[in-house]
Amino acid sequence: MYCAIASLAFLNRLPTSVSSSSAPAVKGDLLPGLTNIPLTIRWLVSRQVGYRVDEEEDEDEDPAKAQREAMVGIHKDKFSVPGLSLEDEEFVGFNGRCNKNVDTCYTFWVVASLDVSPTSH
Amino acid sequence: LILQNNSNANSDKSKMEESEPHLDKDRHISYWRRCLLTLLPTQYTSTDSTRMLLGFFILSALDLLSAGPDTFPVSQQAEIRAWILKCQHPHGGFCGSPNHRYPDGFYGDGEDMDPAYLPATYFAILNLGFVGGLEGVKKNECLEWLRRLQREDGSFGGLVTPDGKVEGGHDMRHCYVASAVRWMLRGDVPVGEEVDGDINVEGLVGHLRNGQVGQPLCVGGIEADGNRRTMEAFLRVHRMRHMVSVLLLYEANFLTILQLVTCIVP
């Protein structure tokens, strides 16, 4: 997703503002690169997931355990509702897709995509 | 008692500071300099073909640590520059290591063996930005070569064979890298303006649009993750940091591959 949005930025095909909830304005009769910016932004922001570090588990944590668990559908993290305060000891990260665990690199991709995107968020 | 308490408090504070994670900047700089100036660590032997990328890791890391190439002696900057330029093929693209650059006469009308590679070209241009800019780059040849990497569906591959076949997989990363190379070499092209010898911009935009799905974006089979006129402008931090980011994409790990598979095969 980052690559797609950033490509459109290099091609000057991201509008500078969101003119409507659906098709953004683009010069002439050219098609916009993104068809629904608000929905795209919403999808990106919805990648925020709250999580809590379990120190006891971390002591002998198998580095590949989380990956294996994610593959078979076990997800420890829960979705974070924007605007609500976090519980004690809770952190927020980003995942790359629904029902996935948070991951530092996805945090980077999501925030970078939002940064390039043509609206405030 | 007050003094003792203060002393204890200072001691606690000191212990807390010691236990707090911190960035050991000097050791990081030392490590990257060691990678720049000597043979790479053993674990990197198998990556000899992608030294252009490793070079960018080194130069950009040092830059982020305020010990970048602009602090190097002029002679060292010139050596790095010459090394990068030596990797440009006669047809315009760059390879990832001088080991993949034969004498000009070898290439003829095309590149059968060890052809130039799009990501290597991207990193070569970024690296040149650290050591003086794009002077000496065969820009026109590179842009012409870039155009030949585009498929009819608007997407880009990583390399092109002498008979014009585009190879390297359908990969959104190639579209990003191609857009970036075009932007760095050609500068900003106003919307709707056609330039002779340019890539098919509308084709590429169409390909990007087609990658959108109901839950945006699952783009081109890849998971939904997550006139700049002068080189100086190009190096402005806000864009540079996005350039750096794509490096992580090329660090394909096991999980990423599995994620790709799960996206391609629902």
Side-chain angles (χ1 to χ4, degrees):
Chain A
M1 187 168 200
Y2 169 78
C3 283
I5 294 175
S7 296
L8 291 167
F10 280 127
L11 297 170
N12 274 330
R13 292 302 285 270
L14 283 176
T16 53
S17 64
V18 183
S19 58
S20 70
S21 60
S22 56
V26 172
K27 184 182 177 185
D29 55 358
L30 297 172
L31 292 170
L34 286 176
T35 54
N36 193 322
I37 292 170
L39 193 60
T40 302
I41 301 285
R42 183 182 173 81
W43 187 89
L44 285 166
V45 174
S46 298
R47 302 278 58 77
Q48 277 189 115
V49 175
Y51 72 99
R52 193 188 304 270
V53 175
D54 190 335
E55 291 185 0
E56 288 182 8
E57 243 182 66
D58 283 347
E59 286 179 3
D60 53 358
E61 183 75 51
D62 173 359
K65 186 181 174 192
Q67 292 185 8
R68 283 200 307 272
E69 288 181 343
M71 289 300 158
V72 296
I74 300 172
H75 307 289
K76 288 184 297 189
D77 303 331
K78 66 180 182 60
F79 287 104
S80 175
V81 181
L84 292 184
S85 58
L86 298 171
E87 296 174 12
D88 290 342
E89 312 268 325
E90 193 178 19
F91 297 86
V92 165
F94 286 81
N95 64 16
R97 225 193 301 170
C98 294
N99 299 321
K100 296 288 186 184
N101 290 329
V102 298
D103 189 315
T104 305
C105 75
Y106 287 128
T107 304
F108 188 97
W109 296 123
V110 170
V111 176
S113 298
L114 287 169
D115 194 41
V116 180
S117 295
T119 184
S120 61
H121 24 267
Chain B
L1 183 62
I2 291 170
L3 285 173
Q4 190 178 352
N5 281 345
N6 281 343
S7 174
N8 287 341
N10 287 336
S11 174
D12 289 346
K13 186 182 175 187
S14 176
K15 282 179 185 172
M16 193 172 73
E17 285 175 350
E18 282 177 15
S19 63
E20 284 292 312
H22 67 285
L23 181 67
D24 194 338
K25 191 174 166 183
D26 290 341
R27 291 186 70 196
H28 278 289
I29 291 173
S30 176
Y31 170 77
W32 289 115
R33 282 188 177 150
R34 170 255 186 276
C35 290
L36 179 69
L37 299 173
T38 69
L39 295 173
L40 288 167
T42 307
Q43 292 85 351
Y44 289 88
T45 304
S46 62
T47 59
D48 190 69
S49 295
T50 53
R51 283 162 64 191
M52 194 63 75
L53 179 154
L54 298 178
F56 184 70
F57 274 128
I58 294 167
L59 297 182
S60 59
L62 285 169
D63 185 55
L64 290 169
L65 293 163
S66 305
D70 56 331
T71 66
F72 297 174
V74 174
S75 60
Q76 188 182 6
Q77 293 185 39
E79 284 174 12
I80 294 171
R81 232 186 119 63
W83 184 88
I84 299 165
L85 289 172
K86 200 163 60 177
C87 291
Q88 187 170 25
H89 284 209
H91 295 106
F94 285 73
C95 54
S97 160
N99 296 334
H100 298 288
R101 175 64 163 93
Y102 299 99
D104 283 3
F106 172 84
Y107 295 100
D109 295 330
E111 300 181 1
D112 272 323
M113 196 163 71
D114 282 349
Y117 191 44
L118 180 56
T121 304
Y122 168 77
F123 291 115
I125 294 170
L126 290 178
N127 280 334
L128 285 168
F130 282 120
V131 285
L134 297 179
E135 191 180 344
V137 173
K138 301 185 189 84
K139 284 188 191 179
N140 292 336
E141 289 87 340
C142 193
L143 286 166
E144 168 61 20
W145 172 79
L146 184 70
R147 193 177 61 79
R148 291 169 54 214
L149 291 176
Q150 190 169 20
R151 300 186 182 91
E152 285 188 7
D153 68 0
S155 69
F156 277 81
L159 58 94
V160 58
T161 63
D163 57 359
K165 187 178 178 187
V166 177
E167 295 187 343
H170 283 73
D171 191 322
M172 190 54 70
R173 292 174 297 182
H174 286 143
C175 295
Y176 169 80
V177 170
S179 306
V181 168
R182 172 184 180 264
W183 183 75
M184 290 187 283
L185 295 183
R186 201 180 283 290
D188 255 353
V189 178
V191 178
E193 183 175 307
E194 292 188 8
V195 180
D196 286 342
D198 200 4
I199 63 170
N200 179 357
V201 173
E202 295 315 308
L204 176 55
V205 172
H207 175 70
L208 297 169
R209 282 173 57 86
N210 290 339
Q212 294 174 110
V213 292
Q215 188 190 41
L217 298 167
C218 185
V219 190
I222 282 194
E223 187 193 7
D225 303 328
N227 191 314
R228 194 211 90 258
R229 299 291 178 197
T230 64
M231 207 60 198
E232 288 75 17
F234 155 64
L235 285 173
R236 278 181 307 187
V237 174
H238 76 283
R239 279 225 163 165
M240 194 65 195
R241 65 172 185 255
H242 293 304
M243 296 288 186
V244 174
S245 66
V246 87
L247 294 172
L248 294 172
L249 271 179
Y250 279 91
E251 209 178 21
N253 56 31
F254 176 65
L255 180 62
T256 306
I257 292 167
L258 282 177
Q259 287 169 337
L260 287 172
V261 171
T262 54
C263 185
I264 294 166
V265 185

